[in-house]
Amino acid sequence: MRAIAYYKKGDIHFASDLPTPTISTPDEILIDVAWCGICGSDLHEYLDGPIFMPQDGSTHPLSNQPLPQPMGHEFCGFVKAIGNKVTKVAVGDKVVVEAGCGCKDVHRWPQSHVYGKEQCTACRKGFDNCCTHAGFTGLGVVGGAFAEQVVVGERHVVKLPEEVPTDVGALVEPLSVAWHAVKVAGFEKGSGKNALVLGAGPIGLATILALKAHGASKIVVSELAAIRRELALKMGVEVFDPSKHGDEKQGIKKLREIPEDHDGFDFAFDCSGVETTFNTALHSLTFRGTAVNVAIWGPHPIDYYPMDITLQEKKLTGSIGYVVQDFEEVVDALHKGDISIEECKHLITGRQKLENGWEKGFMELMNHKETNIKILMTPNNHHELQ
Ligand SMILES: [Zn+2]
Ligand SMILES: [Zn+2]
């Protein structure tokens, strides 16, 4: 089968000779991939990895599966075959897939070192994304969707309504990252609270859409890149260019003045993950406000003074990935129009055939980061099926 696969550190490429995956347990589903988006994590695997991928010559600790493996974890497709215990979907259904893997998936891999072992506490309590062994389809646990076909477990699959096109389906994954963050923050739907978003990359823009669906009264996005600010404007939110407001301290002062009380935001989402955005998130909050780190940081600690949260009873939390429920709620929000399908389409800045995906997808994103948000690949040239 044709796929873009991770072979070893610094070696990701297109090939036509990857094995086609097959159903091996009764709860598995074989999917014909329609569209799969390139994620920042995919680029990180190439530039700084292996991060989620196994080290060269080793296997993944959860599945014990070796490399090479097709990458790709943000996808939508059509069910091609189902195991004999699958009831959630039928052949031909249009689906999206929650890509997290943990204890509840180990039964699919008899060769796994944790096969047959008791689930970890997080999984037992339903916090699957916090699993001790957590990993992702398409990021080393098992082959992903930069491929003609992919096999996934039934519990991860969510049916996509008729009116949601498959390219927007491929955005449900990044939307679920944002949705999860908004929920972890404790942003109650209809509470009318306001929010600051730091960074208007894929996750920042997805966070805007999730906040709008939760009825935020005001959303302000701080972003250095003009092209990204323009995209945010198209989504009807206020934009802030920190380069126009002096140093970090002055920028924070300006931001705090924007909400009605001129005394900071109820929520701040750091979707950039640098010291300045972390500080801005924390210091732009009003009393009892909540800052959420959504970004994935490299292994470099920063200074942090606990009294900065204590004196105004602020909250600081983090959000990682998603659970299946987030996918279900995002799909429902798309169905109800709480998330606009048209606004989602602003996130798609490129479409490529799988064969060109390395050059015109990965390389394009690495060389022209600011002019791109999401580049989608279509392994089976499914444009006509949208
Ligand atoms: Zn992703
Ligand atoms: Zn677990």
Side-chain angles (χ1 to χ4, degrees):
M1 139 183 111
R2 294 172 301 113
I4 291 177
Y6 183 94
Y7 285 77
K8 58 181 195 293
K9 187 176 170 62
D11 182 6
I12 297 170
H13 64 262
F14 173 83
S16 312
D17 60 352
L18 273 297
T20 303
T22 51
I23 289 173
S24 59
T25 58
D27 64 336
E28 285 182 337
I29 294 169
L30 178 71
I31 293 169
D32 245 338
V33 180
W35 292 100
C36 184
I38 304 174
C39 178
S41 315
D42 298 327
L43 306 179
H44 276 301
E45 288 297 340
Y46 178 71
L47 295 168
D48 322 308
I51 301 164
F52 292 104
M53 287 287 179
Q55 298 288 332
D56 293 0
S58 71
T59 57
H60 195 280
L62 184 65
S63 64
N64 200 15
Q65 301 236 355
L67 299 171
Q69 278 180 26
M71 296 181 79
H73 60 272
E74 305 182 355
F75 59 104
C76 176
F78 296 89
V79 175
K80 194 178 169 75
I82 55 173
N84 58 25
K85 284 211 173 123
V86 170
T87 54
K88 213 171 166 184
V89 291
V91 171
D93 281 351
K94 183 166 64 171
V95 293
V96 291
V97 179
E98 181 264 311
C101 294
C103 296
K104 286 170 189 157
D105 302 291
V106 172
H107 68 277
R108 293 172 52 202
W109 306 301
Q111 71 277 30
S112 166
H113 301 304
V114 284
Y115 185 82
K117 296 241 169 83
E118 203 187 337
Q119 289 182 13
C120 75
T121 321
C123 286
R124 268 188 280 131
K125 290 187 171 173
F127 304 114
D128 298 6
N129 58 322
C130 300
C131 174
T132 316
H133 315 290
F136 291 90
T137 297
L139 276 173
V141 176
V142 65
F146 295 147
E148 291 172 58
Q149 288 165 6
V150 59
V151 166
V152 301
E154 176 181 27
R155 56 184 297 271
H156 299 281
V157 169
V158 178
K159 252 167 99 165
L160 201 61
E162 200 47 50
E163 74 278 10
V164 184
T166 51
D167 54 353
V168 171
L171 301 176
V172 171
E173 198 265 7
L175 284 166
S176 296
V177 171
W179 193 269
H180 190 78
V182 170
K183 287 184 75 177
V184 163
F187 196 110
E188 279 171 42
K189 206 173 175 179
S191 62
K193 300 274 170 124
N194 57 48
L196 171 67
V197 178
L198 284 315
I203 296 302
L205 293 170
T207 302
I208 293 173
L209 294 171
L211 283 164
K212 284 178 77 168
H214 280 74
S217 58
K218 183 189 266 299
I219 303 168
V220 178
V221 171
S222 175
E223 164 66 52
L224 285 165
I227 295 171
R228 294 186 163 188
R229 282 199 306 275
E230 268 163 45
L231 276 174
L233 278 174
K234 281 188 191 164
M235 295 179 179
V237 300
E238 214 169 293
V239 296
F240 184 85
D241 176 3
S243 71
K244 286 219 175 101
H245 299 280
D247 62 11
E248 185 182 295
K249 239 182 162 175
Q250 290 165 310
I252 289 167
K253 192 165 173 280
K254 277 271 175 235
L255 280 168
R256 291 185 62 89
E257 285 167 7
I258 298 176
E260 215 172 274
D261 295 339
H262 311 296
D263 191 31
F265 290 86
D266 298 313
F267 291 88
F269 295 85
D270 184 2
C271 303
S272 289
V274 292
E275 191 160 1
T276 304
T277 53
F278 179 90
N279 290 337
T280 306
L282 201 55
H283 295 290
S284 300
L285 291 177
T286 187
F287 68 97
R288 292 213 164 185
T290 303
V292 189
N293 175 54
V294 194
I296 303 290
W297 292 62
H300 312 291
I302 55 168
D303 278 340
Y304 160 64
Y305 179 51
M307 288 312 282
D308 284 339
I309 58 166
T310 302
L311 290 174
Q312 288 201 312
E313 299 189 341
K314 293 176 179 177
K315 293 185 196 76
L316 173 61
T317 185
S319 175
I320 182 73
Y322 36 64
V323 292
V324 186
Q325 198 189 337
D326 296 307
F327 275 66
E328 289 166 350
E329 290 176 8
V330 166
V331 166
D332 191 49
L334 285 164
H335 177 59
K336 288 183 177 145
D338 292 343
I339 296 178
S340 149
I341 290 173
E342 286 315 306
E343 287 183 358
C344 286
K345 286 188 174 170
H346 294 316
L347 270 67
I348 305 171
T349 53
R351 297 161 193 271
Q352 293 297 334
K353 288 184 176 181
L354 196 58
E355 285 77 355
N356 304 329
W358 174 255
E359 271 299 312
K360 294 180 176 172
F362 275 76
M363 293 302 280
E364 169 69 19
L365 284 170
M366 285 187 269
N367 295 329
H368 305 284
K369 192 173 163 244
E370 262 65 47
T371 52
N372 280 293
I373 300 294
K374 271 291 158 206
I375 296 180
L376 305 184
M377 289 196 254
T378 175
N380 296 301
N381 303 326
H382 259 151
H383 329 59
E384 71 283 358
L385 290 175
Q386 275 183 64

